[in-house]
Amino acid sequence: MNALFGLIPNTAASAIWAMVVASLLPLAMALTAKAIGGFNLADNAHPRDFLHSTTGAAARANAAQQNSYETLPVFLAAVLVAMLFFVPQSIINMLAWLYVLIRVGYCVAYITNLATFRSILWVLSIACCLMLFYLAIRVSV
């Protein structure tokens, strides 16, 4: 594990990049849902109607998009609070990138209909956020 995260620079920019990637994940899921669902230019007049009418993997990709938007504010707040309270940057970076990797796995699990695995990944991603908040609390005491 340390070797994997040894690739992550020990700078605030690394955590900021993790926030950028996490912020782009819902867009990636929307594009995936549209690609799987057969979205074409005519559907662009009412793209939300198109996404609501999809089924199967396309509908699950759309649901992954929605869940990504739902958890994103918690993640962004957790990283910012941890940085504000001077949690060691290496820990922030590790948890931020771990969140991103878990969320990518979550999206793949959602699209491929691995419901139990998806739920486990969701819990793990939220645990990363909660750990960042916890560490900020510990540092501030």
Side-chain angles (χ1 to χ4, degrees):
M1 182 93 149
N2 203 13
L4 172 66
F5 290 111
L7 300 173
I8 299 172
N10 193 18
T11 64
S14 181
I16 294 168
W17 276 112
M19 292 190 293
V20 169
V21 173
S23 297
L24 293 174
L25 195 54
L27 174 63
M29 288 302 95
L31 294 173
T32 301
K34 290 175 180 180
I36 294 171
F39 188 85
N40 59 50
L41 243 42
D43 296 316
N44 201 39
H46 300 285
R48 289 191 173 110
D49 291 343
F50 170 82
L51 288 172
H52 288 299
S53 68
T54 60
T55 59
R60 291 190 299 274
N62 186 44
Q65 171 202 191
Q66 292 170 344
N67 186 267
S68 294
Y69 276 126
E70 292 164 1
T71 63
L72 183 61
V74 176
F75 169 69
L76 297 176
V79 172
L80 292 174
V81 166
M83 292 172 83
L84 179 67
F85 283 94
F86 302 106
V87 171
Q89 194 63 51
S90 61
I91 295 172
I92 295 171
N93 293 348
M94 182 183 70
L95 288 169
W97 281 107
L98 186 58
Y99 171 89
V100 170
L101 291 173
I102 291 170
R103 289 301 300 180
V104 168
Y106 170 89
C107 291
V108 171
Y110 212 138
I111 293 168
T112 58
N113 204 21
L114 300 171
T116 303
F117 185 55
R118 176 191 84 219
S119 295
I120 291 167
L121 292 174
W122 184 89
V123 169
L124 291 173
S125 71
I126 293 300
C128 290
C129 299
L130 294 176
M131 182 58 76
L132 286 166
F133 282 125
Y134 171 76
L135 293 170
I137 291 167
R138 293 285 298 180
V139 167
S140 70
V141 174

Short mmCIF file of all heavy atoms in Angstrom, two decimals, residues 11-26 68 71-84 89 92-93 95-101 103 129 132:
data_model
loop_
_atom_site.label_atom_id
_atom_site.label_comp_id
_atom_site.label_asym_id
_atom_site.label_seq_id
_atom_site.Cartn_x
_atom_site.Cartn_y
_atom_site.Cartn_z
N THR A 11 2.18 17.22 -1.52
CA THR A 11 1.85 18.64 -1.65
C THR A 11 0.34 18.81 -1.61
O THR A 11 -0.42 17.88 -1.88
CB THR A 11 2.37 19.23 -2.97
OG1 THR A 11 1.69 18.58 -4.05
CG2 THR A 11 3.87 19.03 -3.12
N ALA A 12 -0.08 20.02 -1.30
CA ALA A 12 -1.51 20.33 -1.30
C ALA A 12 -2.10 20.17 -2.71
O ALA A 12 -3.28 19.84 -2.86
CB ALA A 12 -1.75 21.74 -0.78
N ALA A 13 -1.29 20.38 -3.71
CA ALA A 13 -1.78 20.25 -5.09
C ALA A 13 -2.31 18.85 -5.36
O ALA A 13 -3.27 18.68 -6.11
CB ALA A 13 -0.66 20.59 -6.08
N SER A 14 -1.73 17.86 -4.73
CA SER A 14 -2.18 16.48 -4.93
C SER A 14 -3.62 16.31 -4.44
O SER A 14 -4.45 15.70 -5.12
CB SER A 14 -1.25 15.51 -4.21
OG SER A 14 -1.68 14.18 -4.43
N ALA A 15 -3.93 16.85 -3.27
CA ALA A 15 -5.29 16.77 -2.75
C ALA A 15 -6.26 17.57 -3.63
O ALA A 15 -7.40 17.16 -3.85
CB ALA A 15 -5.34 17.26 -1.31
N ILE A 16 -5.78 18.70 -4.12
CA ILE A 16 -6.62 19.52 -5.00
C ILE A 16 -6.91 18.76 -6.29
O ILE A 16 -8.05 18.76 -6.79
CB ILE A 16 -5.97 20.88 -5.26
CG1 ILE A 16 -5.91 21.68 -3.96
CG2 ILE A 16 -6.73 21.65 -6.35
CD1 ILE A 16 -5.03 22.91 -4.02
N TRP A 17 -5.91 18.08 -6.84
CA TRP A 17 -6.14 17.26 -8.03
C TRP A 17 -7.13 16.14 -7.75
O TRP A 17 -7.96 15.82 -8.60
CB TRP A 17 -4.82 16.71 -8.59
CG TRP A 17 -4.13 17.69 -9.47
CD1 TRP A 17 -2.95 18.32 -9.24
CD2 TRP A 17 -4.59 18.17 -10.74
NE1 TRP A 17 -2.65 19.17 -10.28
CE2 TRP A 17 -3.64 19.09 -11.23
CE3 TRP A 17 -5.72 17.92 -11.52
CZ2 TRP A 17 -3.78 19.76 -12.43
CZ3 TRP A 17 -5.87 18.58 -12.74
CH2 TRP A 17 -4.90 19.49 -13.18
N ALA A 18 -7.07 15.55 -6.57
CA ALA A 18 -8.04 14.51 -6.21
C ALA A 18 -9.45 15.10 -6.19
O ALA A 18 -10.41 14.45 -6.65
CB ALA A 18 -7.68 13.90 -4.86
N MET A 19 -9.58 16.33 -5.71
CA MET A 19 -10.89 16.98 -5.70
C MET A 19 -11.37 17.25 -7.12
O MET A 19 -12.56 17.10 -7.42
CB MET A 19 -10.85 18.28 -4.88
CG MET A 19 -10.66 18.04 -3.40
SD MET A 19 -10.89 19.49 -2.35
CE MET A 19 -9.53 20.52 -2.84
N VAL A 20 -10.46 17.64 -8.00
CA VAL A 20 -10.82 17.88 -9.40
C VAL A 20 -11.30 16.58 -10.05
O VAL A 20 -12.34 16.54 -10.71
CB VAL A 20 -9.63 18.49 -10.19
CG1 VAL A 20 -9.91 18.49 -11.68
CG2 VAL A 20 -9.33 19.89 -9.69
N VAL A 21 -10.54 15.51 -9.86
CA VAL A 21 -10.91 14.21 -10.45
C VAL A 21 -12.26 13.75 -9.90
O VAL A 21 -13.13 13.31 -10.66
CB VAL A 21 -9.81 13.16 -10.22
CG1 VAL A 21 -10.26 11.78 -10.67
CG2 VAL A 21 -8.53 13.57 -10.95
N ALA A 22 -12.46 13.87 -8.61
CA ALA A 22 -13.73 13.48 -8.01
C ALA A 22 -14.88 14.32 -8.56
O ALA A 22 -15.99 13.82 -8.75
CB ALA A 22 -13.66 13.59 -6.48
N SER A 23 -14.61 15.59 -8.82
CA SER A 23 -15.64 16.48 -9.37
C SER A 23 -15.99 16.14 -10.80
O SER A 23 -17.10 16.42 -11.26
CB SER A 23 -15.17 17.94 -9.29
OG SER A 23 -14.99 18.33 -7.94
N LEU A 24 -15.05 15.54 -11.53
CA LEU A 24 -15.30 15.15 -12.92
C LEU A 24 -15.95 13.77 -13.04
O LEU A 24 -16.47 13.42 -14.10
CB LEU A 24 -14.00 15.19 -13.72
CG LEU A 24 -13.40 16.58 -13.92
CD1 LEU A 24 -12.04 16.48 -14.60
CD2 LEU A 24 -14.35 17.47 -14.72
N LEU A 25 -15.93 13.00 -11.96
CA LEU A 25 -16.49 11.65 -12.01
C LEU A 25 -17.98 11.63 -12.37
O LEU A 25 -18.40 10.79 -13.18
CB LEU A 25 -16.23 10.93 -10.69
CG LEU A 25 -16.42 9.44 -10.67
CD1 LEU A 25 -15.63 8.74 -11.76
CD2 LEU A 25 -16.03 8.88 -9.30
N PRO A 26 -18.82 12.54 -11.83
CA PRO A 26 -20.23 12.53 -12.26
C PRO A 26 -20.38 12.78 -13.77
O PRO A 26 -21.22 12.14 -14.42
CB PRO A 26 -20.86 13.66 -11.46
CG PRO A 26 -19.98 13.83 -10.27
CD PRO A 26 -18.60 13.49 -10.74
N SER A 68 -22.71 10.05 -7.29
CA SER A 68 -21.44 10.77 -7.26
C SER A 68 -21.67 12.24 -6.91
O SER A 68 -20.90 12.82 -6.15
CB SER A 68 -20.72 10.64 -8.61
OG SER A 68 -20.35 9.31 -8.82
N THR A 71 -22.45 12.46 -2.99
CA THR A 71 -21.36 12.31 -2.03
C THR A 71 -20.25 13.33 -2.22
O THR A 71 -19.44 13.53 -1.32
CB THR A 71 -20.76 10.89 -2.10
OG1 THR A 71 -20.19 10.67 -3.38
CG2 THR A 71 -21.79 9.82 -1.78
N LEU A 72 -20.22 13.98 -3.36
CA LEU A 72 -19.13 14.93 -3.67
C LEU A 72 -19.01 16.06 -2.64
O LEU A 72 -17.89 16.35 -2.21
CB LEU A 72 -19.30 15.48 -5.08
CG LEU A 72 -18.20 16.42 -5.57
CD1 LEU A 72 -16.85 15.71 -5.60
CD2 LEU A 72 -18.57 16.94 -6.96
N PRO A 73 -20.10 16.71 -2.22
CA PRO A 73 -19.94 17.81 -1.25
C PRO A 73 -19.30 17.36 0.07
O PRO A 73 -18.50 18.09 0.65
CB PRO A 73 -21.36 18.32 -1.02
CG PRO A 73 -22.13 17.87 -2.21
CD PRO A 73 -21.49 16.60 -2.66
N VAL A 74 -19.64 16.17 0.52
CA VAL A 74 -19.05 15.64 1.76
C VAL A 74 -17.55 15.47 1.59
O VAL A 74 -16.76 15.86 2.45
CB VAL A 74 -19.72 14.31 2.17
CG1 VAL A 74 -19.04 13.72 3.40
CG2 VAL A 74 -21.21 14.50 2.40
N PHE A 75 -17.14 14.91 0.45
CA PHE A 75 -15.73 14.70 0.18
C PHE A 75 -14.98 16.03 0.10
O PHE A 75 -13.93 16.21 0.72
CB PHE A 75 -15.54 13.91 -1.12
CG PHE A 75 -14.12 13.87 -1.60
CD1 PHE A 75 -13.15 13.17 -0.89
CD2 PHE A 75 -13.74 14.53 -2.76
CE1 PHE A 75 -11.83 13.14 -1.33
CE2 PHE A 75 -12.43 14.50 -3.21
CZ PHE A 75 -11.47 13.80 -2.48
N LEU A 76 -15.51 16.97 -0.68
CA LEU A 76 -14.84 18.26 -0.84
C LEU A 76 -14.71 18.97 0.50
O LEU A 76 -13.64 19.52 0.83
CB LEU A 76 -15.60 19.13 -1.84
CG LEU A 76 -15.66 18.60 -3.27
CD1 LEU A 76 -16.54 19.50 -4.14
CD2 LEU A 76 -14.29 18.43 -3.88
N ALA A 77 -15.78 18.96 1.29
CA ALA A 77 -15.73 19.59 2.61
C ALA A 77 -14.71 18.90 3.51
O ALA A 77 -13.95 19.56 4.23
CB ALA A 77 -17.11 19.57 3.26
N ALA A 78 -14.67 17.57 3.47
CA ALA A 78 -13.74 16.83 4.32
C ALA A 78 -12.29 17.16 4.00
O ALA A 78 -11.47 17.38 4.90
CB ALA A 78 -13.99 15.33 4.17
N VAL A 79 -11.97 17.23 2.72
CA VAL A 79 -10.59 17.56 2.33
C VAL A 79 -10.25 18.98 2.75
O VAL A 79 -9.18 19.23 3.32
CB VAL A 79 -10.38 17.36 0.81
CG1 VAL A 79 -9.00 17.88 0.38
CG2 VAL A 79 -10.51 15.89 0.43
N LEU A 80 -11.15 19.91 2.50
CA LEU A 80 -10.88 21.31 2.84
C LEU A 80 -10.74 21.50 4.35
O LEU A 80 -9.85 22.23 4.82
CB LEU A 80 -11.96 22.21 2.27
CG LEU A 80 -11.96 22.33 0.75
CD1 LEU A 80 -13.16 23.14 0.28
CD2 LEU A 80 -10.67 22.93 0.24
N VAL A 81 -11.61 20.87 5.13
CA VAL A 81 -11.53 20.98 6.59
C VAL A 81 -10.22 20.38 7.08
O VAL A 81 -9.54 20.96 7.94
CB VAL A 81 -12.75 20.30 7.26
CG1 VAL A 81 -12.53 20.09 8.74
CG2 VAL A 81 -14.00 21.14 7.02
N ALA A 82 -9.84 19.23 6.55
CA ALA A 82 -8.58 18.60 6.95
C ALA A 82 -7.40 19.51 6.63
O ALA A 82 -6.46 19.65 7.44
CB ALA A 82 -8.41 17.24 6.27
N MET A 83 -7.43 20.17 5.48
CA MET A 83 -6.35 21.09 5.12
C MET A 83 -6.37 22.32 6.02
O MET A 83 -5.32 22.79 6.46
CB MET A 83 -6.46 21.48 3.65
CG MET A 83 -6.17 20.32 2.70
SD MET A 83 -6.51 20.71 0.97
CE MET A 83 -5.00 21.54 0.53
N LEU A 84 -7.54 22.82 6.32
CA LEU A 84 -7.69 24.00 7.16
C LEU A 84 -7.14 23.77 8.57
O LEU A 84 -6.54 24.66 9.16
CB LEU A 84 -9.17 24.41 7.22
CG LEU A 84 -9.52 25.61 8.08
CD1 LEU A 84 -8.93 26.88 7.48
CD2 LEU A 84 -11.03 25.75 8.20
N GLN A 89 -0.31 16.60 5.42
CA GLN A 89 -0.68 16.57 4.00
C GLN A 89 -0.60 15.18 3.39
O GLN A 89 -1.42 14.80 2.56
CB GLN A 89 0.17 17.55 3.20
CG GLN A 89 -0.36 17.84 1.82
CD GLN A 89 -1.71 18.51 1.85
OE1 GLN A 89 -1.91 19.51 2.53
NE2 GLN A 89 -2.68 17.97 1.11
N ILE A 92 -3.82 13.44 4.21
CA ILE A 92 -4.92 14.00 3.41
C ILE A 92 -4.85 13.46 1.98
O ILE A 92 -5.86 13.02 1.43
CB ILE A 92 -4.86 15.54 3.39
CG1 ILE A 92 -5.09 16.11 4.79
CG2 ILE A 92 -5.89 16.11 2.40
CD1 ILE A 92 -4.83 17.61 4.89
N ASN A 93 -3.66 13.50 1.40
CA ASN A 93 -3.49 13.04 0.02
C ASN A 93 -3.85 11.57 -0.11
O ASN A 93 -4.55 11.17 -1.06
CB ASN A 93 -2.06 13.26 -0.44
CG ASN A 93 -1.71 14.73 -0.56
OD1 ASN A 93 -2.58 15.59 -0.53
ND2 ASN A 93 -0.43 15.02 -0.69
N LEU A 95 -5.86 9.70 1.79
CA LEU A 95 -7.30 9.48 1.94
C LEU A 95 -8.08 10.07 0.77
O LEU A 95 -9.09 9.50 0.33
CB LEU A 95 -7.79 10.05 3.27
CG LEU A 95 -7.37 9.24 4.50
CD1 LEU A 95 -7.67 10.02 5.78
CD2 LEU A 95 -8.05 7.87 4.50
N ALA A 96 -7.63 11.20 0.24
CA ALA A 96 -8.32 11.82 -0.90
C ALA A 96 -8.23 10.94 -2.13
O ALA A 96 -9.23 10.69 -2.81
CB ALA A 96 -7.74 13.21 -1.18
N TRP A 97 -7.02 10.45 -2.44
CA TRP A 97 -6.87 9.59 -3.61
C TRP A 97 -7.50 8.22 -3.40
O TRP A 97 -8.01 7.62 -4.35
CB TRP A 97 -5.41 9.50 -4.04
CG TRP A 97 -5.01 10.72 -4.79
CD1 TRP A 97 -4.22 11.73 -4.36
CD2 TRP A 97 -5.45 11.09 -6.11
NE1 TRP A 97 -4.13 12.71 -5.33
CE2 TRP A 97 -4.87 12.34 -6.41
CE3 TRP A 97 -6.27 10.49 -7.06
CZ2 TRP A 97 -5.08 12.99 -7.63
CZ3 TRP A 97 -6.49 11.13 -8.27
CH2 TRP A 97 -5.90 12.37 -8.54
N LEU A 98 -7.49 7.74 -2.16
CA LEU A 98 -8.16 6.48 -1.87
C LEU A 98 -9.66 6.62 -2.12
O LEU A 98 -10.29 5.74 -2.71
CB LEU A 98 -7.88 6.05 -0.43
CG LEU A 98 -8.40 4.68 -0.01
CD1 LEU A 98 -7.83 3.58 -0.90
CD2 LEU A 98 -8.05 4.42 1.46
N TYR A 99 -10.24 7.76 -1.70
CA TYR A 99 -11.64 8.04 -1.98
C TYR A 99 -11.90 7.98 -3.48
O TYR A 99 -12.86 7.35 -3.93
CB TYR A 99 -12.02 9.41 -1.42
CG TYR A 99 -13.39 9.89 -1.85
CD1 TYR A 99 -14.52 9.58 -1.12
CD2 TYR A 99 -13.56 10.65 -3.02
CE1 TYR A 99 -15.78 10.01 -1.53
CE2 TYR A 99 -14.81 11.07 -3.43
CZ TYR A 99 -15.91 10.76 -2.68
OH TYR A 99 -17.15 11.17 -3.10
N VAL A 100 -11.06 8.65 -4.26
CA VAL A 100 -11.25 8.69 -5.71
C VAL A 100 -11.19 7.28 -6.30
O VAL A 100 -12.05 6.89 -7.09
CB VAL A 100 -10.21 9.61 -6.39
CG1 VAL A 100 -10.25 9.47 -7.90
CG2 VAL A 100 -10.45 11.07 -5.99
N LEU A 101 -10.19 6.50 -5.91
CA LEU A 101 -10.07 5.13 -6.42
C LEU A 101 -11.27 4.27 -6.03
O LEU A 101 -11.78 3.50 -6.85
CB LEU A 101 -8.77 4.49 -5.92
CG LEU A 101 -7.48 5.07 -6.49
CD1 LEU A 101 -6.27 4.46 -5.79
CD2 LEU A 101 -7.41 4.86 -7.99
N ARG A 103 -14.26 5.37 -5.37
CA ARG A 103 -15.43 5.84 -6.12
C ARG A 103 -15.42 5.36 -7.57
O ARG A 103 -16.47 5.06 -8.13
CB ARG A 103 -15.51 7.38 -6.08
CG ARG A 103 -15.88 7.95 -4.73
CD ARG A 103 -17.20 7.47 -4.20
NE ARG A 103 -18.28 7.83 -5.11
CZ ARG A 103 -19.56 7.55 -4.91
NH1 ARG A 103 -19.95 6.92 -3.84
NH2 ARG A 103 -20.47 7.91 -5.78
N CYS A 129 -13.99 10.00 3.99
CA CYS A 129 -14.42 11.36 4.34
C CYS A 129 -14.52 11.52 5.85
O CYS A 129 -14.04 12.52 6.41
CB CYS A 129 -15.78 11.66 3.71
SG CYS A 129 -15.78 11.60 1.91
N LEU A 132 -11.17 11.89 7.44
CA LEU A 132 -10.61 13.24 7.28
C LEU A 132 -11.22 14.19 8.31
O LEU A 132 -10.50 14.99 8.94
CB LEU A 132 -10.83 13.75 5.86
CG LEU A 132 -9.94 13.12 4.79
CD1 LEU A 132 -10.47 13.45 3.40
CD2 LEU A 132 -8.50 13.58 4.95
#
